[in-house]
Amino acid sequence: MSKRAQGNTKPHPEEVHDNELNIPGPVIKVVEAFAEEKGLHKKEVEDLLIRISSSISCIAIQKSFEFSGPMPHPTLLKLYEEQIPGMAKEHWNEIVEEGKTDRWCRKAREVSIFTGQMIGFVLGMTGLFVGYKLSINGASGAGIAAMFGGLGTIIASICGKYFFYKDK
């Protein structure tokens, strides 16, 4: 068994073979051209290849793609369908149901905002009317307080939509 097979990471020059060093072919060609240009001996070239081999830890090519949307990429969906038959249709049905639920929630929120504004407006107008009646009948302090309360309720019901129900 060679020393390299026993766990020695750097091979000795006499054990060097290009395929053992795991150096890409183009790199070896560049090193050989450099050695020929500089007039290096075979041993110096082997030492240089060993140093290059020990400095190369990993060469990896990563391929990725990006796809956005509610469904997975068609290729990925096909692979899922091969593994779990019927999964694509089930996933599609879930997305359709989720869309229906989202639309229903949006409509319900819009209705509740409008209803809240109307109730706030009615309460505010009631407060203004009660304040006006109290002021006419001689209770001016209570009438003014009721008017401000009614006016505040109207302002809160109108402006509340813009301050409290913003889409984030």
Side-chain angles (χ1 to χ4, degrees):
M1 188 183 304
S2 71
K3 290 180 183 177
R4 186 157 188 203
Q6 293 173 357
N8 186 3
T9 57
K10 291 186 179 180
H12 292 291
E14 56 271 3
E15 295 180 352
V16 172
H17 301 289
D18 290 345
N19 58 357
E20 269 188 30
L21 292 176
N22 296 323
I23 299 176
V27 174
I28 293 173
K29 288 180 183 176
V30 169
V31 170
E32 289 173 349
F34 174 77
E36 189 177 310
E37 181 183 312
K38 297 292 182 180
L40 298 177
H41 298 301
K42 185 176 181 180
K43 176 146 176 46
E44 292 172 320
V45 174
E46 289 176 352
D47 287 339
L48 184 58
L49 287 173
I50 289 171
R51 282 189 277 160
I52 291 172
S53 170
S54 64
S55 67
I56 295 176
S57 60
C58 180
I59 296 176
I61 297 174
Q62 182 178 358
K63 181 180 178 183
S64 65
F65 60 91
E66 197 171 310
F67 184 79
S68 65
M71 291 291 282
H73 189 274
T75 307
L76 189 59
L77 190 61
K78 183 179 178 183
L79 292 173
Y80 285 145
E81 187 67 27
E82 288 173 2
Q83 295 295 319
I84 307 169
M87 194 279 309
K89 186 175 183 180
E90 183 178 328
H91 188 63
W92 176 255
N93 291 338
E94 286 177 13
I95 289 172
V96 169
E97 287 299 317
E98 186 177 330
K100 288 178 182 176
T101 303
D102 287 348
R103 283 192 299 273
W104 182 86
C105 288
R106 265 195 307 274
K107 286 179 183 177
R109 191 175 104 200
E110 289 171 4
V111 167
S112 69
I113 290 171
F114 181 74
T115 304
Q117 285 181 325
M118 290 288 92
I119 290 172
F121 182 75
V122 168
L123 287 175
M125 291 304 291
T126 303
L128 287 175
F129 180 73
V130 168
Y132 174 74
K133 282 296 191 180
L134 287 174
S135 295
I136 288 178
N137 293 334
S140 61
I144 291 174
M147 282 186 191
F148 277 121
L151 188 60
T153 306
I154 291 173
I155 291 171
S157 68
I158 292 172
C159 297
K161 176 182 179 182
Y162 301 106
F163 294 116
F164 299 113
Y165 297 107
K166 287 183 180 177
D167 288 332
K168 295 177 179 161

